[in-house]
């Protein structure tokens, strides 16, 4: 008979707060419920974001450049709110309750969007924005208020949900049986597979429903998908492993900086961030004796210097003396920030595929069989499904074929390490923008030739395919890399939020670049490259070349940052580990870039 006892500090618990049983809780069985929720939430958000520019431009009558910025600002807000979700989860609420609460907020926003899209009184009067036939008055006042309230309810809910989905699924493997614990890299590949499946359904079936039956139906289907995902999440509650929140995750970070500043005049002994060398020890806080960043940010090591107390005085407070584990966590947080920065341009490219590339498709021949008047027309927003269709085949092939081969060659459990995987993706993404620039130049020349020729929409396939390959390497590598950075399970959701923050900064950078390019190229009475609602008069091809050049420059910056990340410290040598699970997790990040 099992005897229930109170859980140890930091141990995972079941839904009743009791210690987890390895055979009953966690593992792939419980992660499946989270994977279904993740696919449904991805489907709902993609159904909104992928065709949102059509709704804002065609039914709310925002000018094209402003409509593109509405979309990129919305997506940027979604991702920049992810640290809030990670903070609330790690500090106070836990992953499950954070997912449930903010999933409900997102659902409310989707319902409000579908109501606005359904009621004519909440939209602008019908008009054609390209020909300016009709009352092309931009939505304002109450109509705009309803739209932005609904849109940013979706942003708040999805932003706080996303980092916790991935972290909560990965938590099911922490502390589980050895076989399940070693399945963590496979889980990240399955997570991305579910993400691709959700994107594919949204960009095909849901976008087709939006195009055929109206945006109200599309938004309603997104709400229904999210509702089904929430049911799946709740259904697995008895199987989940839950990490209890430990109070504010920012307090230990703040203590390290305060203590280091307070003792800034102290002389830092060699290896002071290790308790064995004079630092503050805490038996409850695991310390990595092979810490990669031991020789970086040495000024923080002063927070661990123990000052001998005077007789009859109180011991030093936690704001003057920190544990080595706390210092190591702060050093890790600072060390990953350059990696985050190097993924911003990658996500700026993604922003173009969700905005201007959709408008490119609208200006091309969208018939499935060009030249046939009765042929089925492809919704331009569905072009974004191309990389995800390919990825549904590539992700299993990568996991089942390429990973075993690379594992034999490199000795790394995941085939290639997360940072190497990210580097491959950042290298490939520049080719996507180069392909986009060449195709746009060809499309524009054909349209302006005077013969009225419209290039087939299938010319856009290469840029989406190349970006899909880039996503396969970059995004899965980022998810695994950031999850591995959190020590002792205290900040997994927050570190996963850094992954989504790079999306946010990328989309915001897209808005800034559009404005800067328009301003810089509109001097001397000329029109800006992106200053008109008509792509035939704009120079989108030149804007794509700018992004291709930025992607190449960003890749070389990433190589420098990855090399710096792995330099110094006992863990920076890149030597092979012994093969134990814990050692493998640490060595998987040791790069040879």
């Amino acid at each position: 008979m099992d005897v229930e006892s109170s859980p140890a500090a930091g141990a995972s618990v079941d839904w009743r707060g009791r210690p987890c049983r390895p055979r009953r809780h966690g593992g792939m069985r419980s992660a499946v419920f989270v994977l279904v929720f993740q696919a449904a939430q991805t489907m709902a958000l993609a159904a909104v974001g992928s065709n949102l520019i059509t709704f804002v431009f065609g039914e709310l009558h925002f000018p094209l450049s402003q409509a593109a910025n509405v979309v990129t600002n919305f997506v940027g807000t979604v991702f920049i709110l992810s640290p809030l979700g990670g903070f609330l989860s790690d500090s106070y609420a836990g992953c499950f309750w954070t997912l449930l609460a903010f999933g409900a907020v997102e659902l409310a926003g989707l319902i409000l969007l579908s109501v606005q899209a359904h009621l004519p009184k909440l939209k602008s009067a019908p008009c054609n924005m390209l020909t300016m036939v009709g009352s092309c008055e931009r939505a304002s006042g109450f109509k705009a208020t309803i739209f932005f309230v609904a849109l940013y309810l979706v942003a708040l809910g999805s932003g706080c949900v996303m980092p916790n989905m991935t972290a909560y699924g990965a938590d099911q493997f922490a502390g589980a049986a050895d076989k399940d614990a070693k399945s963590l890299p496979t889980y990240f590949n399955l997570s991305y597979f579910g993400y691709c499946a959700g994107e594919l359904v949204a960009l095909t079936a849901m976008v087709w429903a939006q195009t055929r039956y109206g945006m109200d139906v599309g938004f309603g289907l997104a709400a229904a998908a999210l509702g089904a995902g929430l049911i799946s999440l709740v259904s697995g509650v008895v199987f989940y492993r839950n990490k209890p929140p430990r109070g504010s995750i920012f307090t230990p970070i703040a203590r390290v900086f305060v203590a280091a500043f307070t003792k800034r005049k102290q002389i830092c002994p060699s290896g002071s961030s290790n308790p064995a060398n004079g630092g503050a020890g805490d038996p409850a806080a695991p310390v990595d004796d092979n810490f990669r960043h031991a020789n970086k940010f040495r000024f923080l090591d002063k927070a661990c210097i123990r000052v001998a107390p005077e007789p009859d005085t109180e011991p030093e407070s936690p704001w003057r003396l920190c544990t080595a584990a706390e210092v190591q966590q702060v050093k890790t947080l600072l060390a990953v920030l350059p990696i985050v920065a190097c993924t911003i341009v990658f996500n700026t490219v993604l922003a173009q595929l969700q905005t201007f590339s959709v408008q490119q498709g609208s200006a091309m021949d969208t018939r499935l069989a060009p030249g046939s008047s009765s042929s089925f027309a492809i919704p331009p927003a569905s072009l974004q499904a191309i990389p995800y269709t390919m990825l549904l085949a590539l992700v299993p092939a990568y996991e089942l074929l390429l990973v075993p081969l690379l594992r034999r060659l490199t000795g790394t459990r995941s085939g290639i390490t997360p940072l190497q995987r990210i580097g491959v993706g950042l290298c490939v993404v520049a080719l996507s923008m180069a392909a986009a620039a060449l195709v746009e130049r060809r499309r524009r020349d054909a349209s302006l030739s005077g013969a009225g020729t419209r290039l087939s929409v299938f010319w856009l396939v290469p840029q989406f395919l190349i970006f899909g390959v880039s996503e396969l390497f970059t995004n899965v590598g980022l998810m695994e890399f950031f999850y591995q950075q959190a020590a002792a399970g205290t900040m997994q959701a927050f570190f996963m939020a850094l992954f989504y923050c790079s999306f946010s900064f990328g989309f915001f950078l897209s808005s800034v670049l559009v404005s800067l390019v328009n301003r810089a190229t509109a001097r001397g009475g000329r029109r800006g490259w992106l200053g008109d609602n008509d792509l035939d008069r704009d120079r989108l091809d030149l804007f794509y070349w700018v992004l291709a050049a930025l992607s190449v420059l960003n890749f070389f910056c990433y190589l420098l940052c990855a090399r710096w990340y792995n330099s110094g410290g006992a863990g920076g040598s890149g030597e092979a580990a012994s093969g134990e699970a814990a050692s493998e997790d640490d060595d998987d990040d040791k790069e040879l870039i």
Side-chain angles (χ1 to χ4, degrees), residues 131-154:
T131 62
M132 302 303 288
V133 174
S135 177
C136 294
E137 181 180 353
R138 171 182 163 176
S140 60
F142 181 71
K143 298 174 183 177
T145 300
I146 290 292
F147 170 67
F148 283 111
V149 167
L151 192 64
Y152 284 96
L153 278 175
V154 175

Side-chain angles (χ1 to χ4, degrees), residues 64-109:
L64 179 57
S65 62
Q66 293 183 23
N69 283 344
V70 166
V71 176
T72 53
N73 289 339
F74 161 69
V75 178
T77 302
V78 168
F79 294 121
I80 206 169
L81 286 172
S82 58
L84 174 62
F87 167 73
L88 292 175
S89 171
D90 287 333
S91 301
Y92 302 112
C95 278
F96 177 78
W97 291 109
T98 303
L99 289 173
L100 199 59
F102 285 98
V105 171
E106 183 179 1
L107 181 60

